Amino acid sequence: MSYEFHAGAMIIVTLTAVLAIFLVCKTSNRLSVLIGLISWIALSAYFIIEAIVIRATAAPYSFLNQPMSDLGVTACGTDTYLLASYTICSPYHWLMNWTFFLTGLFILIGAVLLSPLWPKVRSAKIANILIGVFGVSYAISGIIPADIDFYWHTLTALPGMVVQIPAMILISIAIHKKMPRIFWWTIICTIVTTAALLSLFLQPVFTGLPGGLLQRILYASVYIWLTGTAIGLWSRRIHKAQQKGS
């Protein structure tokens, strides 16, 4: 199927998801929280899908050195987009782009639906908005692959490389007293994603740094943080329900 078909389908899914979120938020707080928790836990599936796409590549692909975006390039060949002077051929590009898109969408859904679980303070509200921005940024990278429009693919992806760090810092400030376990989990993941971002900035100086691996760590630390945070929030809800029942 053509790129236009997949892009159109992604836009339809986005509009449907927005409507569904609105309806769920209006009807059932318990259901909305459950959907939000599942959305963030489902992010762990990304790693399995990426491995499948890499195994299917018809041209050599370097997990350590090539960016994740190469797996979503829709055409096979050399110079498929600016800066890609090497050969790219990813037959499962459609699967990778849908994974980028749905990963971002699930992050956004979780940010919206799980907002009632955070302390009612300004830092948590700002952090939640930044997490939503991260999700939108990531989703757009699936809608606009690098070879379709490198400028917009890159421009819209840039916020998703940075906003997660202030989001995680603000969340940790908001929860350090009420949720100590999630607080320390957030601190660890913040250190990892910040170190990866700083290392990427240093690539022009230290050319031997594995850019592809650093990019994966940058994003993977956020997926893992969100998955672990969702599990922690779920555990807290179960514990509170048991205390009320006893």
Side-chain angles (χ1 to χ4, degrees):
M1 297 181 184
S2 66
Y3 158 74
E4 288 77 12
F5 171 84
H6 288 289
M10 289 177 190
I11 292 172
I12 292 172
V13 169
T14 301
L15 296 175
T16 304
V18 170
L19 177 60
I21 291 172
F22 176 78
L23 293 175
V24 169
C25 288
K26 289 292 184 180
T27 57
S28 173
N29 180 64
R30 186 175 180 179
L31 178 60
S32 65
V33 168
L34 178 62
I35 293 173
L37 291 170
I38 292 172
S39 294
W40 277 6
I41 291 172
L43 297 174
S44 56
Y46 173 88
F47 304 104
I48 298 172
I49 298 173
E50 187 189 57
I52 292 171
V53 175
I54 290 175
R55 284 181 61 87
T57 54
Y61 179 83
S62 173
F63 179 86
L64 295 178
N65 297 307
Q66 286 184 244
M68 297 153 65
S69 296
D70 284 2
L71 297 172
V73 169
T74 63
C76 290
T78 305
D79 296 317
T80 52
Y81 67 88
L82 188 66
L83 304 180
S85 58
Y86 43 87
T87 303
I88 297 174
C89 192
S90 180
Y92 285 6
H93 58 82
W94 59 272
L95 177 58
M96 197 70 251
N97 286 325
W98 270 99
T99 303
F100 290 149
F101 166 71
L102 291 175
T103 297
L105 184 62
F106 286 169
I107 291 171
L108 176 62
I109 290 172
V112 174
L113 299 183
L114 297 179
S115 58
L117 301 186
W118 299 118
K120 303 298 187 290
V121 295
R122 181 177 296 180
S123 59
K125 293 177 181 178
I126 296 173
N128 223 35
I129 292 172
L130 293 176
I131 294 170
V133 171
F134 178 86
V136 171
S137 171
Y138 202 84
I140 293 177
S141 68
I143 299 176
I144 309 175
D147 64 312
I148 297 298
D149 194 316
F150 179 75
Y151 174 78
W152 283 108
H153 175 85
T154 304
L155 186 65
T156 55
L158 286 176
M161 297 182 67
V162 180
V163 294
Q164 77 277 17
I165 295 173
M168 296 163 85
I169 293 172
L170 289 170
I171 282 290
S172 64
I173 292 172
I175 67 173
H176 74 283
K177 291 183 179 179
K178 294 184 177 180
M179 306 178 188
R181 291 184 180 179
I182 299 178
F183 165 77
W184 285 111
W185 171 244
T186 302
I187 291 297
I188 292 169
C189 294
T190 303
I191 292 171
V192 173
T193 192
T194 303
L197 181 62
L198 292 176
S199 298
L200 280 171
F201 286 152
L202 291 173
Q203 258 198 303
V205 179
F206 301 100
T207 55
L209 290 173
L213 179 60
L214 291 172
Q215 185 192 42
R216 283 176 169 81
I217 294 173
L218 176 71
Y219 289 116
S221 58
V222 183
Y223 308 157
I224 294 170
W225 171 61
L226 293 173
T227 298
T229 298
I231 294 171
L233 292 172
W234 203 330
S235 177
R236 279 175 55 84
R237 286 178 65 82
I238 293 173
H239 181 66
K240 286 183 178 181
Q242 289 175 340
Q243 284 184 324
K244 289 182 179 179
S246 60

